[in-house]
Structure formats: C-alpha cells, structure tokens
Amino acid sequence: MTHVPSEDSHKIQVSTAKSPPPNSKRTIAHELESMETSARPSRCRETNGGPAGPCNPWTGKPFSSLYYQLEEKRRALPVFQERERIVEIVKRNRVVVLQGETGSGKTTQVPRLLLEAGFQRIACTQPRRIAAVSVATRVAHEMDVRLGELVGYTIRFEDVSHPKLTRLKYVTDGMLLREAFQDDRLSRYDCIILDEAHERTLSTDVLMGLLKGILKQRPELHMVVMSATLERDHFCTYFDHAPLLNVSGRMHPVDIRFAERPVFDYLFAVEQQVRQIHENEPAGDVLIFLTGEEEIEDMCSRLRHYSRATARKHGAPLQVLPLYSALPMSVQERVFEPPRPPEARKVIVATNVAETSITIDGITYVIDPGFAKVKIYNPSTRVESLLVSPISQDSARQRAGRAGRTRPGICYRLYTEEAFRTELPARSHPEILRSNLCNVVLTLKKLGIHDLIHFDFMDPPAPDTMIRALEMLFYLGAVDEEVELTQLGRQMAEFPLDIQIARMLLESPRHGSSNEAITLAAMLSVPNVFLRPRQQADEADARKQRFVVSDSDHATLVRVFEAFMDHGCDRQWCAENYLNDRALMHAVNIRRQLELMMQRMGLRICSPGRRAPDRWIRLRRCVLEGFFSQTAFWMRRRDYLTIRDEQLVGLHPSSVIRHRPSWVVFHEFVLTTGSYIRTVSQIEPKWLFELPTKYYDLLEYKEGASRRALELAARLTGQRRSAAP
DNA sequence: TAGGGTTTT
C-alpha cells in the first residue's frame, strides 16, 4: 500500500497541542525509531511475487508514483545541485548564513538535506502561517511520508506534528519563540533554521538574539540563517563571522526600466504606464504596487474607465483586480483565476501583500512607484502610526522579481536610477526599530533575560523605546521596582495578546465580566470587522447602527461578536451586515483559546448576563484596567486631551459615541489627516482613582491641564487624594 | 466626521 497524497492531504488537519497526529500508527513509529540516520534508498522485499523496487528509507515502503514526479523536479533545483557542499559546511560550522535567491529551493530542500545528513530534530521557522503549512505539506509529499509524522508543522491553533515522530518541523517564528517559554534552550532541536531572515520580523529578531546565547550553552546545536537578499555582511558579522553560502536562484531575467526624470504624480504615471503597456507591449499580466485601499480602489476605477473607453480600439480589454488584505477571500482569489473574458489582460492593483505574502504566477509587467505604508513608532508620544514612505532597494528588487517567475518580464520603476541609488535606503528598517516594545520586553523577561539593555539584538532598539516599555510594564504591574517579573507579569506573558489586553483579562473576574472581556480581547486582536465599501458607505453605517451601544465602541464590538455567534457564524449574514467574516471567524478561534487559558489559570469565567443593566458598565471598567494609560478628557468643542502626554485629539469619526463624555478610555491613537483616538468608551472619572496602579497619583503630574482635570475629577467624586498638594 | 501596509503569539 503506498500513500499517495491526494487533494485531501492539502487540507489542514487540526489537532490539539498534545494529542498525536491523526492516523498515527504504531508500525510507523517502530519503523522510524529503528531507522538509521542516513537515508539511502534500500531495496524493498519482494511482495506478492512482484519485482523488488527502490524503497522509501523513512517508511520501508515502495515509493508512490507521485514521489517520482516530485523527485524529478526537486533534483533540478539549484539547492539540490549544491547539496554536498551545503551539508558539509553546516556540519562543520555552528552557524551558517545561506543566501538563496527565489526559486533556489532552499525552504523545501535544505531542512530535508540536513535531516538526511543525520540531524535528529530540526525546526525551520517561517514568518507566515500559510507558508509553514504549505511547505511542510510539500516536503512530506516529496519525501513520500504522511504529514504530521516525520515531517510536520506547528502554527497557532494547529499542531500537525508528533512529539516523538516528527523530526522536521516547520513552525512560525512566533511559535518557536513560544516554545522557548517552556524550554529556554530549545533543547529538543539539534538544528534550527531561520528562514526568510531578511524579513526581520519581530519574532525572528528576538529569536536570533536568543539563539546567539543558546549557541554558547549548547555546543551541539547548529543553526542556519536563510535569507533571500544580500545582507551578507550584516548577518555574517552578527553571527561572529559565520560562513556564507550562496545558492543561485532560478529566475527569468527582468528588464528594469527607470523613469528618465522625477515623477511628481505617481498615480497619473501608473495610469500612463498601463496604457503604454496595453497599447504597445505583447500579452502578459500587469502587477501594480500602491500604498493602500483607497488608492487601489481609485486606480481600479480609472483603469476600468480607460479599458471601457478603448476596448474596441485595442482589442483585448483589461480585467482590473484589486488586491489587499482587507478584501474578502473570495475577491482576493480572483487574481488566481483565468482572465475574464479569456482574451483580457489582467491588471492587479495591490498593496505590499503581493510583495511577499501572495505570489501570483504569470506576471510579466510590474509597475513600482516606490512607495509603501510603513509603521512607525514614536516613543516620546507612544504612538504607532502608518506613514507613506519610500521603499528600500531590497524591497524594490523583491517587487521587480515578481515579474520574472514564469517567464522574462519588465519592471517599470517610476523613479529615476539616481533616486534609486541615493534616495532609497538599502534595506528596510527592521520592525523592532519601529514598534512599541512592551511585548518584546515582557517576552525576554519571561525567557529569563535580565540584562535587557545589553541583550544582543542585531539592531538594538533605541534606549528610549526600551525605557518606555519598562515603564509601562511597571505601571501594568508586570515588573516590580527592581524590574523583576511579577507573578502577574508571568501570567500576562502567557497570553498571546498585547499586554494591556492581557491585563484587562486578568482583572476581569473582579468585575464579574470575564466572559465579555474575553470576547472583547478576541475582537481587539483581529482586524477591523466593519466593512465600509465606498459605494455603500451609508448602507454600511445604517447596518452598524443595529449593534451600537451608544457610550462604548468596545461594547459594540462585543455585541457584533455575539450576534455573529447567534447567527451561527453565517457568512451570508456577515455580508448583509457589512461585516468581515474572516476576521470574525478568527475572533471565534482566539476567543476559544483565551477561554481555555483562563480556565487553566484558574480564573473565573463569569458574566452579569445579557440583560443585566450594568453589563456594559462592568465591561468599560475592565477596559480601563488594561488601558488606564490611554484615557483622555474633554477640552473644548471636538477636542480631547490625552492624559500624561497632553496630546490634543479628536474622536475618530468611526466611533459610535455621539455625545461628548467628559472622560474616555481609548484603544488606539491614530495619526492620519489629524490626531484621532479610535475604539473609545466613556468612563467615570472616579474609576481612575480606584485602579490598583500608581498611574493616577496626582504627585506624578506636573502642573498643567491634565493635573487640573484630575484634581477637578477627584473633587467632584469626593476623592480624598485631591487634598494632596 | 475619515481611512488601515503586512505579519504573528
């Protein structure tokens, strides 16, 4: 019996963290355990009088027909050609930096080669869940083994791996970091591969620093850092001059064409470029990179208009397709379908999703205006915001590469070669330099790292950012005066949540409302669930009214979630109510996970009941328990002033709050056309003084508007603290 | 009264 992977094998199998994978059998365990580490095909015994064929050393069974198909392709990959060199250099060095271009096969082949070379347990990290799943599936097929046994994967909510059998595990970088919570030397692995290291995600950066320390403690551990673009100096130097291996890719040539002179209106230039391609260049699909939803929808209508106006003159029409992550899945998937009508030229107008996360084959022309929205963090105001910025040279190369996946292509850069060299930074700023570090610091503390300032980050964050993070952890009760992790802090780190949300959950049983708080925590952890297509904005707003709790955006979110559950998580119902079903389904999963965690920690799951008049009051108090540092009081007309930082802000127009409460708590501060606070709830000022935190000690405030507002609030609510000078 | 790039636990 051969195991032929079918379409079903691609489906995601779900199992809980500690249970064995589906269909695991003792016989396979036996086979694997008795197997030698080097995997050379052996001969199978003759069965049923048939001839003896080559036999899969991992299973002892004859190979399937699919195996031979995949094997042929795999042997043609550049990495396969270099296999001996790769294995040798990894075995001889503790750390190796492997630079393999797109199409080299590094992600599928390197881990397997190392397994076959005798490593006992290998983890290979991926920045994205979908990559971990699809690569693990591919490798299991290539090795002709069942997914979840020898080869498996672990991502949040899904563990398709076996504690004993799995020897090659693909895992999201965040998940491996979590594993280090249980085992801070990651001692089950003798080889750890960090893939896509050039993306420099927060988790990969923390893992790199952590692993550098672990390497010193565990002389048997080997590590491979795999990266696509040239950052050789940076990676090699960081890992004490680790050797660099370079494997060529298999890409088709891409002709790069720069603008001859600077472009001032890139949207206009994009449109001109599409016309030029459509009217003069041979058939082939076009991919355009823009910065956001609004720009994309605008461009789509301009291009559709052009297509309608000129279809007769130029023969084939354009099929214009938007692509950004907030789009419903069904709309996103259209970019993979054949064009409609069949003779049309597809024009995909995308955000950065198309740069790394979503790969579309068959693109011949790429148009790159050279901008993207980037998250920036300002530690002095503690505001994270999005800013349209020039992309990096690395990013520009990545975009260009999207044109040469299946055949030679052209990339039109709407900036001059001079600008490319002098105005674009060589590399993107790693995320760790652009983020609020509260959770990173808490993670490091939990991992037992005491000297945070000297933690060996590849790019150390600004001291100010670290200090701000520590200060916040202190106010939240996660660390004490000696900057030691408290019991509360340990619990907060367990939760896969922003620490403020974790704190809200931990305090919620005290307010008799942990049930609602868990729902809210899940809703705050997923993207905005309210859809508002420009054409149907009024209708969408009207639908949202059905869920409104007039003094709280937080409570409104809880009501939306409950209504979603009441309607059986129905997608159609979501569509009718302009709600993002994907985000809501995700919230359902998160909620389930959080509830289990709460129960395991012995925290009470309680609710005042849906009809209780004080239900939303309790919830708003829970919110304040986590977000007490994000309150604001009404100043004048439309303006609020944030406490402590005294920033003048407006209520975001998406808020359900129509009156002007004197005090509010908010979830986030956004900087767009103005300064806004978004996801807001009314609070009673007296609650501030009942919080178990020093944050509202009047002594902590300099003379100013905030202090005066607090003094007034204290006086009005009869707080004795107001008497303090 | 307006916009949210992308990921992950």
Side-chain angles (χ1 to χ4, degrees):
Chain A
M1 282 287 186
T2 45
H3 165 62
V4 181
S6 61
E7 279 306 303
D8 280 350
S9 318
H10 291 281
K11 283 190 190 150
I12 290 166
Q13 302 165 356
V14 182
S15 65
T16 53
K18 275 177 191 138
S19 64
N23 307 320
S24 70
K25 293 209 179 84
R26 225 202 200 141
T27 50
I28 297 167
H30 182 252
E31 280 163 3
L32 285 172
E33 275 163 12
S34 61
M35 198 175 312
E36 288 186 16
T37 50
S38 96
R40 268 188 224 105
S42 53
R43 294 265 141 195
C44 276
R45 274 184 303 248
E46 288 185 34
T47 47
N48 303 331
C55 175
N56 189 340
W58 298 109
T59 60
K61 292 174 182 170
F63 287 117
S64 68
S65 56
L66 182 78
Y67 170 84
Y68 291 104
Q69 287 171 33
L70 297 176
E71 183 66 7
E72 199 181 328
K73 285 186 194 152
R74 156 182 122 84
R75 283 172 185 264
L77 290 167
V79 161
F80 189 83
Q81 313 295 323
E82 304 268 7
R83 62 191 181 284
E84 280 162 13
R85 192 162 67 101
I86 294 170
V87 166
E88 197 196 306
I89 200 164
V90 174
K91 279 193 152 178
R92 274 200 290 151
N93 294 275
R94 303 290 309 285
V95 185
V96 172
V97 177
L98 190 147
Q99 183 195 305
E101 291 161 29
T102 321
S104 63
K106 63 181 184 328
T107 304
T108 52
Q109 302 310 313
V110 171
R112 170 181 177 178
L113 291 172
L114 296 176
L115 183 68
E116 290 172 344
F119 283 100
Q120 293 300 307
R121 256 208 180 83
I122 302 173
C124 179
T125 66
Q126 295 294 319
R128 280 169 290 280
R129 291 160 50 91
I130 189 162
V133 177
S134 62
V135 175
T137 308
R138 174 77 188 194
V139 173
H141 286 179
E142 286 186 353
M143 295 179 73
D144 217 4
V145 297
R146 214 193 282 264
L147 184 65
E149 292 171 3
L150 182 70
V151 178
Y153 66 86
T154 305
I155 60 177
R156 187 182 187 183
F157 305 127
E158 273 176 54
D159 183 7
V160 183
S161 74
H162 186 283
K164 287 219 178 70
L165 301 183
T166 301
R167 290 181 49 196
L168 168 52
K169 187 162 81 168
Y170 287 91
V171 57
T172 45
D173 49 11
M175 207 62 194
L176 189 64
L177 203 50
R178 289 259 139 185
E179 248 185 77
F181 279 5
Q182 314 304 319
D183 171 10
D184 60 13
R185 288 151 57 111
L186 292 167
S187 53
R188 27 185 300 121
Y189 305 104
D190 56 349
C191 180
I192 293 175
I193 304 170
L194 302 182
D195 197 6
E196 314 288 3
H198 62 279
E199 289 193 25
R200 303 291 307 278
T201 64
L202 267 180
S203 297
T204 293
D205 267 21
V206 175
L207 275 172
M208 285 199 292
L210 189 67
L211 283 163
K212 247 189 110 165
I214 295 176
L215 283 164
K216 292 190 191 116
Q217 302 162 16
R218 292 186 49 205
E220 79 289 5
L221 177 67
H222 288 251
M223 203 180 144
V224 184
V225 181
M226 305 206 291
S227 155
T229 42
L230 266 164
E231 261 204 74
R232 65 174 76 196
D233 296 343
H234 210 42
F235 280 116
C236 293
T237 312
Y238 176 66
F239 285 106
D240 304 321
H241 304 284
L244 176 91
L245 254 170
N246 208 321
V247 184
S248 67
R250 272 222 321 232
M251 288 283 295
H252 299 274
V254 176
D255 181 8
I256 308 280
R257 301 194 187 164
F258 287 98
E260 282 169 14
R261 59 190 82 81
V263 166
F264 294 103
D265 179 353
Y266 69 80
L267 293 176
F268 177 75
V270 165
E271 197 183 341
Q272 293 303 306
Q273 194 61 63
V274 173
R275 287 168 177 247
Q276 188 276 325
I277 292 169
H278 195 47
E279 291 165 23
N280 304 302
E281 301 288 343
D285 296 342
V286 183
L287 173 61
I288 304 167
F289 285 100
L290 293 181
T291 65
E293 174 176 347
E294 189 174 17
E295 227 175 58
I296 288 171
E297 294 296 348
D298 262 347
M299 182 57 64
C300 285
S301 39
R302 281 158 84 159
L303 294 176
R304 285 188 190 117
H305 181 259
Y306 158 72
S307 176
R308 272 196 302 274
T310 61
R312 203 168 298 161
K313 192 165 139 208
H314 300 295
L318 297 178
Q319 187 190 12
V320 182
L321 300 162
L323 180 66
Y324 45 90
S325 73
L327 277 176
M329 236 1 152
S330 57
V331 182
Q332 284 190 31
E333 279 161 0
R334 278 189 219 148
V335 304
F336 299 111
E337 293 165 5
R340 273 181 296 187
E343 71 276 16
R345 186 199 292 272
K346 275 201 281 188
V347 179
I348 296 153
V349 191
T351 59
N352 262 353
V353 268
E355 199 178 296
T356 46
S357 309
I358 298 178
T359 301
I360 312 150
D361 279 331
I363 298 291
T364 309
Y365 308 98
V366 163
I367 303 177
D368 172 21
F371 292 99
K373 276 187 186 161
V374 180
K375 181 176 76 182
I376 52 169
Y377 176 66
N378 180 344
S380 64
T381 55
R382 298 187 205 105
V383 176
E384 275 185 348
S385 50
L386 289 168
L387 198 70
V388 174
S389 319
I391 60 171
S392 66
Q393 293 176 356
D394 272 356
S395 194
R397 286 186 201 104
Q398 180 76 18
R399 288 179 173 191
R402 299 273 135 174
R405 292 188 57 84
T406 37
R407 56 173 154 159
I410 305 175
C411 174
Y412 299 92
R413 289 183 176 158
L414 305 183
Y415 39 91
T416 62
E417 192 164 5
E418 166 82 12
F420 175 82
R421 279 188 286 106
T422 60
E423 287 168 34
L424 301 195
R427 299 179 286 124
S428 307
H429 227 40
E431 198 183 1
I432 199 151
L433 303 180
R434 299 182 279 117
S435 307
N436 174 343
L437 294 182
C438 281
N439 280 54
V440 170
V441 168
L442 187 63
T443 300
L444 291 175
K445 278 273 154 203
K446 173 104 177 173
L447 290 168
I449 287 153
H450 300 296
D451 189 2
L452 293 170
I453 301 297
H454 295 105
F455 183 74
D456 196 353
F457 284 112
M458 194 166 175
D459 288 290
D464 199 24
T465 312
M466 293 289 261
I467 291 162
R468 288 286 179 165
L470 281 169
E471 186 185 75
M472 198 60 229
L473 290 177
F474 173 72
Y475 282 124
L476 284 163
V479 298
D480 59 22
E481 270 102 345
E482 276 75 49
V483 203
E484 290 300 314
L485 204 57
T486 60
Q487 182 55 32
L488 189 67
R490 249 179 286 278
Q491 282 187 311
M492 283 159 72
E494 282 297 311
F495 284 106
L497 297 168
D498 284 346
I499 51 162
Q500 292 162 304
I501 303 180
R503 162 87 195 227
M504 169 182 86
L505 278 192
L506 289 170
E507 298 292 334
S508 64
R510 246 179 354 102
H511 294 282
S513 192
S514 54
N515 184 56
E516 286 76 8
I518 297 171
T519 301
L520 177 60
M523 289 294 275
L524 291 175
S525 303
V526 300
N528 181 17
V529 296
F530 296 106
L531 301 175
R532 200 164 181 267
R534 233 182 313 164
Q535 311 298 326
Q536 298 129 281
D538 291 343
E539 178 63 14
D541 289 344
R543 292 283 170 152
K544 183 174 171 181
Q545 280 305 313
R546 300 178 175 196
F547 307 107
V548 163
V549 178
S550 65
D551 55 11
S552 173
D553 291 310
H554 298 94
T556 303
L557 286 174
V558 173
R559 280 194 64 186
V560 169
F561 181 92
E562 288 174 351
F564 177 64
M565 295 302 282
D566 292 346
H567 287 83
C569 306
D570 183 39
R571 292 179 76 170
Q572 184 59 35
W573 177 83
C574 286
E576 285 161 12
N577 288 285
Y578 295 89
L579 295 170
N580 181 340
D581 60 300
R582 217 171 4 135
L584 279 162
M585 272 319 296
H586 195 193
V588 172
N589 275 325
I590 295 175
R591 196 195 181 288
R592 197 177 300 139
Q593 184 189 28
L594 296 178
E595 187 168 345
L596 276 171
M597 292 183 77
M598 294 275 285
Q599 285 167 340
R600 234 180 288 143
M601 289 182 187
L603 294 159
R604 209 156 47 93
I605 310 292
C606 48
S607 165
R610 283 206 189 180
R611 282 155 191 250
D614 62 349
R615 186 179 190 212
W616 303 129
I617 294 174
R618 291 168 186 269
L619 182 73
R620 288 187 279 129
R621 296 195 70 152
C622 289
V623 174
L624 192 61
E625 292 283 355
F627 290 88
F628 55 77
S629 64
Q630 301 184 2
T631 62
F633 55 91
W634 184 72
M635 275 290 278
R636 55 169 186 260
R637 292 200 303 271
R638 280 199 280 278
D639 299 326
Y640 279 81
L641 201 68
T642 60
I643 203 76
R644 282 286 173 106
D645 296 321
E646 303 195 335
Q647 302 264 318
L648 210 52
V649 294
L651 277 183
H652 195 273
S654 66
S655 176
V656 301
I657 297 177
R658 286 289 166 272
H659 59 303
R660 298 282 156 200
S662 58
W663 283 86
V664 292
V665 61
F666 59 91
H667 180 239
E668 53 188 357
F669 181 124
V670 293
L671 205 55
T672 52
T673 50
S675 301
Y676 294 100
I677 50 177
R678 188 160 49 191
T679 313
V680 179
S681 284
Q682 177 172 359
I683 54 169
E684 298 301 322
K686 72 171 182 193
W687 299 347
L688 299 174
F689 305 114
E690 293 165 13
L691 291 164
T693 169
K694 296 192 194 323
Y695 202 82
Y696 287 97
D697 272 6
L698 286 172
L699 295 173
E700 303 259 314
Y701 291 79
K702 291 196 298 276
E703 182 51 41
S706 282
R707 182 172 168 140
R708 284 195 299 278
L710 281 171
E711 278 171 344
L712 176 66
R715 208 157 49 238
L716 290 176
T717 55
Q719 290 293 315
R720 247 182 262 131
R721 280 198 237 187
S722 63

